[in-house]
Amino acid sequence: MQTIKSRIAEKIVSAVVQINAEAQLNAQDVAAMLEYPPDSNMGDLAFPCFKLSKVLRRSPVQIAAAMTELLNDAAIDTVEAVNGYLNIKISNTYLAQSVLPEILDKKENYGAQEFGKGKTVVLDYSSPNLAKPFHIGHLGTTVIGHSIKKLHEFAGYRCVGINYIGDWGTQFGKLIVAYKKWGNREEVENGGVDALVDLYVRINNAISGNEEIGIVADPSLADEARAEFHKMEMGDEENLALWRWLVKLSIKANDKIYQQLGITFDSYKGESSYTEDMPAQVAKLREMGLLKIDDGASLVDLSEYGMPPCLILKRDGSSLYPTRDIAAAYDRKQLYDFDKCIYVTSTQQILHFKQWYKVVELMGYDWYDKLVHVPYGTVSINGAKLATRTGNVVLLKDLFEAAVDKVRGIMDEKNPNLENKEAVAEAIGVGAIVFYYLTNNRIKDINFSLEEALSFEGNTGPYVQYTYARACSVLSRAGNVADAPVQITTEEEAALVKTLCRFGERVCSAIADYEPSYITRFILDVAAAFNRFYHNCTILGADDPAVRASRVKLTEATKIVLGNAFDLICLSKTEKV
Ligand code: ARG
């Protein structure tokens, strides 16, 4: 797809060749040198000429002066040389005759890319440990992962989304102890995930003690839990039946959340699926002489690479998290023959991924460099760290419920007769949380403030969803408009289209950096530009039918681009609010 940068870059390359016929430049590199100046008074695009000083053997000031003479194109309105920079203003003709028709024509494909065609990406995200509460700490992997999947799909990749559920491990031993001691089937069936969380918190408090509520630690319960898990590993049918039931309940509870977010997975193949595949990988490690025995445990020494050893088998022979990851990656390569396998987890697991990626490389698997870890910052709530074990967490379902309640309250006041009120309240409430989360750079730690997330002032999800609905409402009131050419006469119209035309570039950089927040911020730019246009330019009431038609089309283009961007970040397109 041609972008404004690539178009101008081509013109710069031909101008450079006119200055020096020998100059070797490629348009893609030049496009990357073009900048968007922070202050639009300086132009819409700026080109730093010092980048060509070497090639052209002239000073930036000389180059800039020469280029102003040579650069001309229908997309360029004016070019100015300022201190060795070229300041370029984009022409309204280009915006009206190239950009807008392209958006209106391509519709839901506007912004889509082709560079992923024929390639496969596997994405491992969300992947919560079951039997534990699904809390705010899991929001990041879930929405960042899904967004990255959507972005890749938009670039043409075949994507496989895997929820690598943590459905194996001592947490099930704990839960089984708790259930046998304090639970009963009916209560858990009826209480669902809340009942499970209660049991989980209770057993952890009992094991480690909790001074605040006067519980004395009883470490023997931890041994009991390990024993119950060991029984599971040995194939004890009673425990396995309990385990299957607990897994089913947890998945069902999490499904509700995914449904609210509009997320589905292509596979739920979790940790328990790899029990049988692991021995082959362990045997290979052993044959290759990569395994070292240390105090009974088997590990791969990584000191040469400046890392602690990667633990493969415990003393009792049971497998570990990295071992399962190696077996799972091998399986995915066989199943999907991926070009990239992306893992989205918190930064706390950076070392884990570095270690086992290295092991895969040492094992001679040539796909080791196709494994990508995408870490994100950790979440605290109102300044305090999350602590699953003691129950100091905010469950996602409760967070969503609080947000939806709040929206419902506002609607009852402002728009009590809205049809589909419940669905809209849910879309906006959940959207508020998702948008708040995805406005941050992924790697930054987040101090999640419930108050801020649920505040509907400023640059929030409700604001952009409201803007989308506003565009829809203009369109539904506009009726049929004449098929007149678009004309751009005001500064607001031009600014809006200039914003819209950056969408494709944003998509590309969001994919390159695995950064959904670029899309979130793009949405905010579009919303601001559209609202300025909406307030300052009369749309439906314009006297001249050609102007009216043109502005309706601009509104339609905004709706298309906003909608395409919403789809990339799990935000519902609310037509009416
Ligand atoms: N279940 C893990 C956790 O909650 C995350 C799994 C991430 N994916 C992976 N292949 N290791 O911490």
Side-chain angles (χ1 to χ4, degrees), residues 216-234:
V216 185
D218 180 359
S220 74
L221 286 172
D223 295 333
E224 268 184 52
R226 263 190 292 274
E228 294 291 6
F229 179 59
H230 190 67
K231 272 162 72 186
M232 274 169 62
E233 293 209 292
M234 295 291 107

Side-chain angles (χ1 to χ4, degrees), residues 50 134 171 247 263 279 338 368 441 499 544:
F50 71 86
F134 195 41
Q171 79 262 28
V247 166
I263 294 180
F338 54 73
Y368 75 93
N441 265 9
T499 311
D544 181 344

Side-chain angles (χ1 to χ4, degrees), residues 72-233:
N72 58 53
D73 180 45
I76 298 177
D77 185 23
T78 56
V79 196
E80 258 183 346
V82 182
N83 301 331
Y85 270 80
L86 285 178
N87 288 345
I88 301 164
K89 244 188 157 25
I90 299 171
S91 72
N92 288 350
T93 324
Y94 172 73
L95 299 173
Q97 292 177 10
S98 293
V99 178
L100 269 174
E102 191 188 347
I103 300 175
L104 296 173
D105 178 51
K106 289 194 172 157
K107 298 197 171 57
E108 68 277 6
N109 288 321
Y110 181 74
Q113 309 292 319
E114 304 210 321
F115 58 83
K117 283 231 166 93
K119 295 192 186 134
T120 299
V121 171
V122 169
L123 297 105
D124 174 320
Y125 66 103
S126 201
S127 310
N129 288 335
L130 299 187
K132 291 186 181 181
F134 195 41
H135 58 70
I136 200 172
H138 298 108
L139 187 60
T141 166
T142 307
V143 294
I144 293 171
H146 189 65
S147 235
I148 294 177
K149 179 180 181 210
K150 286 292 197 183
L151 281 159
H152 279 81
E153 278 172 351
F154 207 44
Y157 289 95
R158 169 174 85 115
C159 291
V160 184
I162 302 183
N163 195 343
Y164 179 66
I165 42 176
D167 56 358
W168 203 244
T170 27
Q171 79 262 28
F172 284 96
K174 285 186 186 171
L175 206 57
I176 288 175
V177 173
Y179 175 74
K180 286 183 178 168
K181 266 192 183 334
W182 306 304
N184 73 62
R185 201 166 180 103
E186 228 177 44
E187 244 172 59
V188 174
E189 286 280 1
N190 297 336
V193 69
D194 289 324
L196 289 186
V197 172
D198 284 348
L199 286 174
Y200 188 73
V201 170
R202 190 163 169 189
I203 184 76
N204 278 300
N205 275 331
I207 291 173
S208 336
N210 186 332
E211 269 179 29
E212 269 172 44
I213 44 176
I215 297 178
V216 185
D218 180 359
S220 74
L221 286 172
D223 295 333
E224 268 184 52
R226 263 190 292 274
E228 294 291 6
F229 179 59
H230 190 67
K231 272 162 72 186
M232 274 169 62
E233 293 209 292

Side-chain angles (χ1 to χ4, degrees), residues 125-144 171 193-194 196-197 200-201 204 250 253-258 260-261 345-346 348-349 376-381 384-401 433-434 437 446 448 450:
Y125 66 103
S126 201
S127 310
N129 288 335
L130 299 187
K132 291 186 181 181
F134 195 41
H135 58 70
I136 200 172
H138 298 108
L139 187 60
T141 166
T142 307
V143 294
I144 293 171
Q171 79 262 28
V193 69
D194 289 324
L196 289 186
V197 172
Y200 188 73
V201 170
N204 278 300
S250 300
N254 295 351
D255 268 353
K256 172 88 200 314
I257 303 272
Y258 296 133
Q260 285 178 299
L261 287 165
T345 78
S346 93
Q348 285 156 336
Q349 298 195 27
Y376 62 90
T378 49
V379 185
S380 46
I381 302 176
K385 263 201 156 168
L386 303 183
T388 318
R389 284 153 180 274
T390 57
N392 181 24
V393 289
V394 175
L395 296 191
L396 271 182
K397 81 177 179 54
D398 295 339
L399 182 63
F400 286 173
E401 200 177 298
I433 305 288
V434 170
Y437 198 94
I446 296 190
F448 205 98
L450 294 183

